[in-house]
Amino acid sequence: QVKLVESGGGSVQIGGSLKLACVGSGYTYSTYCMAWFRQNLGKERERVVSVASDGSASYGNFVKSRFTISRDNATNTLYLQMNSLKPEDTGMYYCAADRAPRYGGCWSRPADFGHWGQGTQVTVSS
């Protein structure tokens, strides 16, 4: 059974940093692509970044080099380093995973991912 557990959320001031982590289990980590999504009240879930099994990443337009994703296949852990945080970055951050596409790369839509963590809250305020 696939299980994803996020951690690292919290409350920070504008301009601060957080590092989120997602530990996966129950699947062959290196064959899955993974992603971070976020969602705020009343808004649709949006993709922050997705990363293929080879480590190649695709970021949402709003990231603008502030965030960096990394994955450690040895420990089945996905990280999201977030810098220069803004109030609009506030939301619940979710880790998602699913088998990588046959053609390589990773999925981009929430509906493409069958496995989700419980989420970790990020709050950015002045």
Side-chain angles (χ1 to χ4, degrees):
Q1 181 179 356
V2 175
K3 184 177 181 181
L4 302 171
V5 180
E6 302 101 329
S7 62
S11 297
V12 295
Q13 293 187 327
I14 297 172
S17 298
L18 283 174
K19 187 172 185 178
L20 308 183
C22 171
V23 179
S25 61
Y27 60 101
T28 304
Y29 191 80
S30 60
T31 64
Y32 273 51
C33 73
M34 302 186 70
W36 287 98
F37 287 82
R38 70 184 188 185
Q39 188 169 23
N40 212 341
L41 292 176
K43 295 184 178 181
E44 294 186 352
R45 191 167 295 191
E46 63 178 347
R47 184 178 62 93
V48 178
V49 58
S50 53
V51 59
S53 56
D54 65 0
S56 56
S58 175
Y59 291 88
N61 290 335
F62 60 87
V63 171
K64 299 186 185 302
S65 302
R66 299 182 297 126
F67 299 174
T68 303
I69 194 171
S70 60
R71 59 185 292 169
D72 185 342
N73 288 351
T75 62
N76 292 0
T77 305
L78 182 72
Y79 298 100
L80 181 65
Q81 176 67 47
M82 303 189 295
N83 300 324
S84 302
L85 285 164
K86 305 174 181 180
E88 51 265 42
D89 294 319
T90 294
M92 187 70 78
Y93 282 68
Y94 298 93
C95 175
D98 214 309
R99 294 184 186 275
R102 293 181 183 177
Y103 49 80
C106 191
W107 310 108
S108 60
R109 303 175 304 165
D112 295 325
F113 291 87
H115 308 286
W116 294 83
Q118 81 288 349
T120 185
Q121 178 68 36
V122 171
T123 303
V124 185
S125 59
S126 57

